[in-house]
Amino acid sequence: MQNPLVALAHRLFGERRSDERTAEAEGRTMLEAANDIRENPRTVECRDGRALGYADCGDPAGDPLVVFHGFPNSRVFGALFDGVGRERGLRIVAPERPGIGVSDPLPSRTVADWTADVADLARALTLDSFPVLGVSGGGPYAAACAAGLPRVERAAIVCGLAPLESVGFGDRLPFLLAEHARPLATLSLWADGRNARRNPENYLTSRAEASADTDEERWRGEMGQVLLESGREAVNRHGYGPLVTDLAVPAREWGFDPGSIDVPVSLWYGKEDHIVPLSMGFHYAEAIPTAEAHIYPGQGHLSVIEENQGRVLDALVGS
C-alpha cells in the first residue's frame, strides 16, 4: 500500500491510463529494463550507514511489490518483472542484499537480519505496507519478512530455497563449502564468472543443457540474458567475497521460525526444477501455517517463474 501523500500526489497530477502502461510494457524489453537498472543505480542509506542498492521499475505510479532476487543475482533481477508490473499497475522494488551490486557488505549477517534492511528501504521510499516476492535464493528472505516485518501483508516464494534440513547432504554441500571452506567456494564462483565473461553464449548454452527441458529455451533467450547481466552486476563493485557470503548465509541459523508466520504465503514450485529440489517446497508447506502450495509437474526453475507471473501477482495483491 502506498503512503497516502504519495497516492494523493498521483491523483492530483494524474496517473497514466491502463492502456498507456500496457503500451510501455510492450515497448520495453526485459533486457532494455535490465540495462537501464544497471546503468542507473539507486541506493538508500541503512540505519547503520551502509548503502543498500535497489531497482525501481514496473509502474512508478503503482502499488509497491518488493522482489528479492535469486543467487547469484542483483537488483537487475527486477527487470524480469518490469513488464508484468507495468501491465498490472505495480511498482517493482528490487533491493540487493549486502555486498551485492552497489550494496555495502555485511559479512556476519543472518537471513533474519534482512528484515532491518527492508524496513530501512521502506522508510526511505515511504512504503507503508506491501507484499514481498522471494525467488529462488530470495525465498528465505521473503519468509523472514513475512515472519518479522509488520509492514509485509502477503508473501510469495517461487522455487525458493528452504532450510537445508529439507534436503540431503549433496544439495547442502555448496552452502556448507561457502560457510566452512570460503577459499574453495570463492575459486569456484570466480571460475564460473570468468566463463560467463569470456564466452556468454557458451555459458548460457551450458546452463540450458544442464536444465530441465522446459527451461532450455529460456536460458538461451532473453530471460537468460537478463540473468547473465544480473549476475555480472552482482560482483561488479565488491567482487566475489560477498557473493560467497550470500551463499553461506542459508547454512547458518536463520534467526526466525517459519511457524510464526501469520500472513498469507503462496508457494510456487516446478517438479522439473534441477536447481531447487521440490522437497524444499514441501518443507515450507509443512512449516508455514498459512502456506498455500502450487506445484506444477511440467515446469522447471525458470518456467515456473515465467509461466506463473500473473497468478503469483494476483495472489500477492489479493485478487
Side-chain angles (χ1 to χ4, degrees):
M1 183 179 298
Q2 286 183 300
N3 180 288
L5 292 177
V6 176
L8 176 60
H10 289 154
R11 288 196 296 272
L12 289 174
F13 293 102
E15 293 186 1
R16 292 168 298 160
R17 299 192 309 272
S18 176
D19 58 340
E20 291 173 333
R21 288 197 302 265
T22 301
E24 288 188 16
E26 292 174 351
R28 177 161 111 158
T29 68
M30 282 194 300
L31 192 55
E32 288 171 341
N35 289 333
D36 180 58
I37 292 167
R38 180 175 52 81
E39 293 169 4
N40 298 285
R42 300 169 182 257
T43 62
V44 299
E45 185 174 329
C46 295
R47 68 195 75 184
D48 60 4
R50 286 180 296 112
L52 183 73
Y54 70 100
D56 200 339
C57 57
D59 180 0
D63 286 334
L65 167 61
V66 181
V67 176
F68 303 143
H69 61 77
F71 177 93
N73 282 283
S74 64
R75 68 190 186 282
V76 174
F77 187 88
L80 295 180
F81 300 90
D82 176 65
V84 69
R86 291 175 184 269
E87 289 169 359
R88 290 173 177 262
L90 290 172
R91 177 186 180 187
I92 307 300
V93 179
E96 50 196 3
R97 294 187 287 277
I100 305 301
V102 295
S103 289
D104 288 337
L106 184 64
S108 300
R109 62 188 170 93
T110 66
V111 173
D113 289 335
W114 180 240
T115 60
D117 285 0
V118 177
D120 289 341
L121 176 73
R123 278 192 290 269
L125 301 184
T126 63
L127 309 179
D128 287 340
S129 61
F130 46 86
V132 295
L133 166 58
V135 181
S136 192
Y141 301 94
C145 289
L149 191 59
R151 294 173 186 262
V152 171
E153 51 195 16
R154 292 174 182 269
I157 298 173
V158 179
C159 56
L161 291 176
L164 298 187
E165 64 200 62
S166 62
V167 295
F169 179 76
D171 289 317
R172 300 182 193 188
L173 188 57
F175 307 96
L176 296 174
L177 288 175
E179 177 70 343
H180 302 292
R182 286 185 65 88
L184 182 59
T186 303
L187 179 61
S188 176
L189 290 174
W190 174 83
D192 189 65
R194 181 186 62 177
N195 291 338
R197 290 190 303 273
R198 285 185 171 180
N199 198 324
E201 185 175 345
N202 282 356
Y203 177 80
L204 290 176
T205 295
S206 68
R207 295 303 303 262
E209 291 174 348
S211 72
D213 291 344
T214 186
D215 284 345
E216 277 197 44
E217 289 308 309
R218 291 173 173 87
W219 278 113
R220 298 179 194 273
E222 188 179 27
M223 193 175 190
Q225 291 287 339
V226 170
L227 293 173
L228 184 67
E229 290 301 316
S230 183
R232 287 171 170 170
E233 180 62 19
V235 297
N236 187 47
R237 180 166 298 194
H238 301 292
Y240 287 90
L243 198 63
V244 175
T245 297
D246 200 51
L247 189 60
V249 169
R252 302 170 181 170
E253 190 67 34
W254 282 23
F256 71 96
D257 177 13
S260 68
I261 296 174
D262 59 5
V263 298
V265 178
S266 59
L267 309 173
W268 308 79
Y269 287 80
K271 285 188 176 181
E272 301 303 314
D273 194 333
H274 291 181
I275 297 176
V276 172
L278 184 57
S279 62
M280 289 191 163
F282 291 148
H283 181 95
Y284 275 131
E286 293 176 0
I288 299 175
T290 58
E292 181 181 272
H294 306 263
I295 311 297
Y296 297 93
Q299 295 181 10
H301 196 70
L302 298 191
S303 50
V304 78
I305 300 170
E306 188 176 66
E307 294 187 23
N308 299 292
Q309 278 189 344
R311 284 184 284 271
V312 172
L313 267 56
D314 286 344
L316 284 170
V317 300
S319 298

